[in-house]
Amino acid sequence: MVFAGPERRTPDARPTPLPATPRKHGAVPGLALAAVGVAAAFGVHALVPAVPTLTVAVVLGVVAAHLPGAAPLVRGVARPGLSLAGKRLMRLGIVLLGLKLSLGDVAGLGWQSLVMVVAVVLITFFGTRWMGRRIGLSDDQSLLVATGYSICGASAIGAVSGVLGKDKGDARHEAEVASSVALVTLCGTLAIAVLPLLKAPLGLDATQFGHWVGASVHDVGQVVATAQTAGPQALTEGVLVKLIRVAMLAPLVAGVALSRRKNVGHPANGDGSRPALLPLFVVGFLAMVVLRSTELLGSEVLDTANTAQELLLAAALFGLGSAVHLPTLARTGGARMALLGLGSWLVVGAAAYAGVMLTT
């Protein structure tokens, strides 16, 4: 909201109207544009199955923000709807993500692998935070990147951004979220091509490769695309380990919220109030995990929920991608962001490899 200041008065003391602010459009144009982007992303994935839909969605969002014909629409009438998609639809998608994991899956992995996953997440998270501070990025920016690399890519970034308490429409915050998503998406996409080439040189069998991929690649779709190159056993193990990482999302978000609550000098919410220790959408995520564990849901329901989750996250990522402005990003720490992304990618890959070697 723009503060216009006091009214100007003419000599007869009657107020002179200030220049009218542009009328705010509803969310419909932006949501419609996001729907077009989602349809295009699914189309590209159908033509090139190796490229995950969510990766295509964020790329198309970035492209739309820079096309001469589309850029004015993206930054103008469509902005409210795209911002809504990037925040609200992201949270709904995260809730449905919980249906991918059951408590039985967690127990079946074994305590050694559980310890390995937790260790990789913690090493990557705190290592990335340390590197981000060392190279001069903002605290929020390094936090977002650390979350994306350590947990589950864009979904985790969206979840943590929701407890940072930034005002709705905060352009700087939107740009930080979007650039973090773009960075983690780029590295996750590169992993699809790079990691299979390293399987033989690193001496990994199918199970070990699946664990390595699941512990180090960011997005669930990217894990599937990478692990399937080593066969069905690697795919099964990779997805299972990855979903255990996804389960770490809830305690991490709660930890960030608790940290912000304690930081009196930097209140988490724009209005000065403290955020909920466990945001509602994280509670929803945990509820979906419990629901999946009851085995009350049939395969058709789960398939429908999976499709809905992918649609919601694709729309959210298109909205986030559309907030990226590459010239501005290049002027405001693009090289440092790239350096942090590369460093974090090496940390998570090395930590995951060491963990796999110690536990398999």
Side-chain angles (χ1 to χ4, degrees):
M1 182 175 69
V2 178
F3 178 68
E7 294 181 318
R8 298 190 298 270
R9 295 184 179 271
T10 56
D12 61 0
R14 289 178 299 180
T16 300
L18 291 173
T21 57
R23 182 180 177 182
K24 289 186 177 180
H25 296 272
V28 174
L31 292 176
L33 181 58
V36 172
V38 170
F42 272 85
V44 172
H45 174 66
L47 293 174
V48 189
V51 181
T53 303
L54 301 186
T55 299
V56 179
V58 72
V59 171
L60 290 178
V62 175
V63 171
H66 294 82
L67 285 177
L73 175 65
V74 168
R75 296 193 177 90
V77 67
R79 189 70 257 154
L82 292 172
S83 295
L84 176 68
K87 186 174 183 180
R88 301 299 180 185
L89 298 189
M90 174 69 78
R91 293 182 178 186
L92 290 175
I94 291 168
V95 170
L96 292 180
L97 190 62
L99 289 176
K100 289 181 175 290
L101 182 67
S102 72
L103 298 176
D105 293 332
V106 177
L109 192 61
W111 70 267
Q112 297 96 333
S113 295
L114 291 176
V115 170
M116 182 270 287
V117 171
V118 173
V120 170
V121 167
L122 293 177
I123 290 170
T124 305
F125 180 78
F126 288 107
T128 303
R129 293 275 282 155
W130 179 82
M131 287 188 291
R133 288 192 292 265
R134 293 285 293 178
I135 64 179
L137 289 176
S138 70
D139 184 67
D140 284 353
Q141 187 82 84
S142 62
L143 173 62
L144 292 169
V145 174
T147 302
Y149 277 79
S150 61
I151 303 289
C152 54
S155 301
I157 292 171
V160 168
S161 71
V163 298
L164 294 184
K166 301 299 182 180
D167 293 329
K168 185 178 180 180
D170 187 325
R172 178 177 177 180
H173 178 61
E174 285 190 355
E176 288 181 338
V177 172
S179 59
S180 300
V181 167
L183 184 66
V184 74
T185 299
L186 173 62
C187 286
T189 302
L190 290 175
I192 298 173
V194 173
L195 266 60
L197 299 177
L198 298 176
K199 177 179 177 294
L202 293 178
L204 299 172
D205 60 26
T207 298
Q208 291 172 324
F209 182 72
H211 282 205
W212 185 45
V213 171
S216 62
V217 178
H218 317 310
D219 180 77
V220 176
Q222 293 163 346
V223 168
V224 171
T226 307
Q228 58 87 28
T229 61
Q233 179 65 26
L235 177 58
T236 300
E237 296 293 332
V239 171
L240 182 55
V241 170
K242 177 61 193 176
L243 292 179
I244 302 304
R245 278 175 71 197
V246 172
M248 292 287 291
L249 179 63
L252 188 142
V253 172
V256 171
L258 180 61
S259 174
R260 293 298 171 114
R261 285 168 65 98
K262 290 181 176 179
N263 191 352
V264 179
H266 186 148
N269 290 332
D271 60 2
S273 63
R274 292 182 175 184
L277 183 57
L278 201 61
L280 186 60
F281 68 94
V282 178
V283 174
F285 170 86
L286 294 174
M288 292 300 103
V289 173
V290 174
L291 181 59
R292 173 65 184 271
S293 303
T294 64
E295 299 185 355
L296 294 175
L297 302 179
S299 58
E300 291 185 1
V301 174
L302 292 174
D303 289 343
T304 300
N306 182 65
T307 301
Q309 174 241 316
E310 193 163 12
L311 287 169
L312 289 167
L313 291 181
L317 290 177
F318 182 88
L320 288 175
S322 70
V324 174
H325 187 238
L326 294 178
T328 301
L329 184 61
R331 291 194 301 269
T332 57
R336 287 178 294 173
M337 278 286 290
L339 180 61
L340 178 61
L342 178 60
S344 186
W345 195 21
L346 293 174
V347 168
V348 70
Y353 178 73
V356 168
M357 291 293 98
L358 290 172
T359 57
T360 58

